[in-house]
Amino acid sequence: MQVYEELVARGLIAQVTDEDEIREMVNAGKATFYIGFDCTADSLTAGHFMALTLMKRLQMAGNKPIALIGGGTTMIGDPSGRTDMRKMLTREDIDHNAACFKRQMERFIEFGEGKAQMVNNADWLLELNYVDLLREVGACFSVNNMLRAECYKQRMEKGLSFLEFNYMIMQSYDFYHLFQHYDCNMQFGGNDQWSNMLGGTELIRRKLGKDAHCLTIQLLTDSQGNKMGKTAGNAVWLDPEKTSPYDFYQYWRNVEDSEVLKCIRMLTFLPLEQIEEMASWEGSQLNQAKEILAWELTNMVHGREEADKARDAAKALFGGGGDKSEMPTTELTAGQFTDGQIGVMDLLVACGLAASKGEARRLVQQGGVSVNDEKVPDIDKKFACELFTGEGVIIKKGKKVFHRAVMA
C-alpha cells in the first residue's frame, strides 16, 4: 500500500482540493508540505500528535516537511474554535516557545539540509508594510466570503476583533510565501483551518496563475482529534515536566473503548493488518489494545525506558506485581501535619489532585476519593503521618487518577 492510500486507510484524510494530483505527488515523494504550529505555550500537547505522526509518515516516504512556527500569527491569535481573544504574548515568549517545540518535534521528524525544515513566519510577516499588503493581498479576499467562514462564526456571536479578522489573510500569506521561497506545494491542517487554508490556495492561484500546483489537505480532526490532549480540563503535554510519562501513559490507557482502535490506527505505526486483527477484540482484550496504544505513544515521546516504567507502574495499580516507585509521587514534610495528622482536603491539595480546598471538598462529597482502596467517607477524615512511611499511601481520584504520597 502506498503512503497516500495508507493515510486514507488510517482515517486521517477528511477532504482535499485536488486528490489525483495529491496522490501522485505524495506517493512519488515529491511533496514539500507544511503544517503550522502557533506557539502559545512552551510545550506541544497530545493534541498535536496527529500532525507530528503525519509529518513522520510522509518524511519516511521521501516527502519534505516544513514545520512552520507561527511567530507572527501568534501575535495576532487564531479565532478558530474560540469564544474569546487569545492572550497576547511577547516576542521573547514566542521565541522561547518555538525553541521548546523544535526539541520535541525532533523526536518525530529529522531536520537538516535536504530534510525537514523549521521556519518562523515572523521572519516575513513582521516585515510586511501594511499598505503594500493591502494592495498586494487585500484585493484577493472577499469580506462576504470571509464572514461565512467557519473559523469566524463563533466569534461573530460575541464580537470579532479586527485584529483576529486578519488571521485568515496572515495564514493565507504564509502558504503564498512558502510556495514562492521554499518550493512548498502542499499544506495540511485540521477542520477548523479549512477556510484559512483554502484562502492560501486561492491567493496563490490568483497571484501566480490558475495552474499553480498548490494543494490543500484537511486532516480528520473533528472527532477524537479534537478531544486529544485534554483530560479533566487540563492539557496533556509532551514535556515530561508538565505531564509525567506515567500520566501521559495513563491518559492513553484510559481512552474510551469506542476510540481505542481509531487512535491506534491514526497515531501509531503498527501495521494496518495487525490493527485490523484487533477489530474483533472485546472486554479484557480492549484493555490490552489500550495498553498497546499507551506504550507505543509513550515510547514515541519519552523513549522505551520511560514507556516500560509507566507500564510497570500501571500494572502495580491494576494487575499487581509492578513497581509503585514509578507512580507519580508527592513527598510530604512534617510541617504539613498538625498533631501528627493531615486532613484529606489538605492531602489532595498537597498532591496536586485538587487546585483548592473547595475543589477537594467537592471531590470527597461526591464520593470520588479513596485512600489505600478505602473510599474517604467525609471531608473531616484525617490520616496519621505513620501511614506515609515506607511505600506510603495510594490516593485514587475518580476512576482513573492514582497518586502516591510518602514522607520525605
Side-chain angles (χ1 to χ4, degrees):
M1 184 183 295
Q2 293 187 288
V3 63
Y4 181 79
E5 285 72 20
E6 182 175 354
L7 297 181
V8 173
R10 288 183 179 273
L12 290 167
I13 305 299
Q15 58 184 326
V16 301
T17 53
D18 309 86
E19 185 167 45
D20 289 342
E21 191 173 356
I22 287 170
R23 179 189 292 108
E24 180 180 351
M25 191 174 292
V26 165
N27 288 342
K30 294 181 179 179
T32 297
F33 67 95
Y34 95 89
I35 298 179
F37 299 84
D38 271 357
C39 34
T40 53
D42 59 1
S43 173
L44 297 166
T45 74
H48 292 105
F49 240 118
M50 190 177 295
L52 295 171
T53 55
L54 177 86
M55 295 171 86
K56 182 179 177 72
R57 290 184 209 281
L58 291 173
Q59 186 176 43
M60 290 168 62
N63 300 286
K64 295 180 181 179
I66 296 175
L68 176 64
I69 295 299
T73 41
T74 300
M75 298 186 78
I76 292 179
D78 181 4
S80 303
R82 301 282 298 185
T83 57
D84 56 5
M85 282 183 61
R86 295 183 186 273
K87 178 185 175 182
M88 301 287 278
L89 301 178
T90 67
R91 181 72 184 268
E92 290 73 22
D93 289 336
I94 293 168
D95 289 344
H96 170 73
N97 294 347
C100 294
F101 278 21
K102 186 173 184 181
R103 288 195 296 271
Q104 294 172 352
M105 288 177 181
E106 287 173 338
R107 296 197 67 93
F108 293 84
I109 55 178
E110 188 176 359
F111 291 94
E113 188 173 351
K115 299 174 183 176
Q117 301 178 75
M118 174 173 279
V119 298
N120 190 328
N121 64 17
D123 293 342
W124 55 86
L125 291 182
L126 300 188
E127 300 299 321
L128 289 174
N129 177 283
Y130 187 61
V131 173
D132 288 343
L133 178 68
L134 288 178
R135 289 174 62 85
E136 182 181 6
V137 177
C140 298
F141 286 83
S142 161
V143 171
N144 290 345
N145 290 339
M146 291 174 71
L147 292 177
R148 285 193 289 268
E150 195 65 36
C151 62
Y152 290 137
K153 284 185 179 178
Q154 267 193 310
R155 297 290 289 117
M156 285 290 291
E157 295 175 4
K158 294 194 174 183
L160 175 70
S161 72
F162 181 71
L163 178 72
E164 295 169 294
F165 186 64
N166 282 270
Y167 191 90
M168 180 186 290
I169 295 175
M170 296 294 97
Q171 183 171 334
S172 300
Y173 191 89
D174 282 343
F175 194 19
Y176 177 55
H177 182 91
L178 292 171
F179 184 86
Q180 289 183 292
H181 298 280
Y182 291 85
D183 296 323
C184 179
N185 48 35
M186 195 174 296
Q187 59 177 336
F188 286 80
N191 61 334
D192 59 340
Q193 298 296 313
W194 184 242
S195 298
N196 295 341
M197 293 191 297
L198 289 180
T201 302
E202 179 65 18
L203 175 60
I204 291 171
R205 291 176 175 171
R206 290 192 64 174
K207 296 295 292 183
L208 304 177
K210 293 183 179 180
D211 294 331
H213 295 285
C214 51
L215 309 167
T216 300
I217 301 177
Q218 178 191 326
L219 296 172
L220 187 64
T221 57
D222 56 340
S223 55
Q224 179 63 27
N226 276 348
K227 294 185 283 185
M228 290 176 190
K230 295 287 185 179
T231 179
N234 298 312
V236 177
W237 305 99
L238 304 195
D239 183 345
E241 297 299 319
K242 290 176 171 287
T243 298
S244 71
Y246 172 82
D247 286 332
F248 187 84
Y249 178 97
Q250 283 297 100
Y251 171 74
W252 296 107
R253 171 62 180 79
N254 292 320
V255 298
E256 298 174 7
D257 289 356
S258 60
E259 300 288 349
V260 60
L261 284 182
K262 186 185 298 182
C263 288
I264 291 176
R265 190 177 292 111
M266 287 181 166
L267 304 179
T268 76
F269 289 80
L270 296 176
L272 283 168
E273 296 79 7
Q274 180 181 346
I275 298 170
E276 291 310 313
E277 290 175 2
M278 301 179 189
S280 60
W281 287 9
E282 297 178 351
S284 62
Q285 286 182 308
L286 276 180
N287 288 331
Q288 183 182 346
K290 293 178 184 181
E291 290 170 2
I292 291 171
L293 170 68
W295 189 91
E296 291 288 337
L297 299 189
T298 306
N299 177 45
M300 267 191 250
V301 175
H302 300 296
R304 178 178 293 270
E305 182 179 355
E306 293 296 337
D308 287 344
K309 287 179 181 179
R311 181 176 58 195
D312 288 345
K315 286 180 179 179
L317 293 171
F318 300 107
D323 184 358
K324 291 185 176 65
S325 67
E326 299 302 335
M327 192 183 306
T329 300
T330 295
E331 293 186 347
L332 302 175
T333 64
Q336 292 173 285
F337 291 79
T338 301
D339 296 329
Q341 296 183 315
I342 187 170
V344 64
M345 292 190 295
D346 289 324
L347 178 62
L348 291 171
V349 172
C351 292
L353 297 174
S356 64
K357 282 192 175 183
E359 181 182 338
R361 177 190 297 270
R362 289 190 293 273
L363 284 170
V364 174
Q365 291 175 335
Q366 292 167 3
V369 178
S370 298
V371 174
N372 286 345
D373 289 329
E374 292 187 9
K375 185 170 288 188
V376 177
D378 58 66
I379 60 173
D380 295 321
K381 177 69 176 177
K382 292 181 172 60
F383 301 94
C385 62
E386 291 82 5
L387 286 174
F388 298 89
T389 59
E391 290 193 353
V393 303
I394 306 300
I395 306 161
K396 181 180 178 183
K397 183 179 81 169
K399 295 181 179 180
K400 300 176 180 179
V401 177
F402 291 83
H403 197 92
R404 188 167 71 114
V406 299
M407 287 298 294

